[in-house]
């Protein structure tokens, strides 16, 4: 039911756990991005860096109460390997 969903979302947004989870996700994404610094510049490195950005942006959208992006991950990656 929409009213129950809205209430649950309101309660989640009011709790500090959401902000803390977003910060943890950003930290993990930063750590992951640091892990690929040694890779040569190119499509693989760019894809991994884009994945870090994508994951954090999905976390931000979810915690703001909007639906997760419908755009497929592969569409966001530069020259994805198929």
């Amino acid at each position: 039911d929409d009213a129950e969903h809205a209430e649950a979302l309101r309660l989640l947004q009011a709790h500090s756990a959401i902000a803390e989870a977003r910060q943890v996700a950003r930290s993990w994404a930063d750590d992951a991005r640091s892990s690929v610094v040694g890779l040569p510049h190119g499509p693989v490195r760019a894809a991994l860096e884009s994945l870090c950005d994508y994951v954090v942006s999905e976390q931000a959208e979810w915690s703001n109460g909007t639906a997760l992006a419908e755009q497929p991950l592969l569409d966001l990656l530069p020259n994805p390997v198929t």
Side-chain angles (χ1 to χ4, degrees):
D1 150 334
D2 288 341
E4 289 175 348
H5 179 260
E7 176 65 8
L9 193 55
R10 186 190 66 73
L11 291 171
L12 284 171
Q13 290 173 333
H15 197 280
S16 65
I18 297 295
E20 292 168 20
R22 288 177 73 189
Q23 184 55 43
V24 169
R26 283 190 199 104
S27 177
W28 287 349
D30 291 343
D31 289 348
R33 188 176 289 103
S34 296
S35 297
V36 301
V37 168
L39 294 175
H41 290 281
V44 171
R45 179 174 169 174
L48 292 170
E49 290 171 338
S50 293
L51 180 60
C52 294
D53 296 334
Y54 180 79
V55 169
V56 174
S57 70
E58 290 300 292
Q59 292 293 332
E61 287 186 41
W62 179 256
S63 68
N64 288 334
T66 59
L68 293 175
E70 295 180 7
Q71 184 176 14
L73 173 61
L74 291 178
D75 290 349
L76 299 173
L77 301 178
N79 303 318
V81 178
T82 55

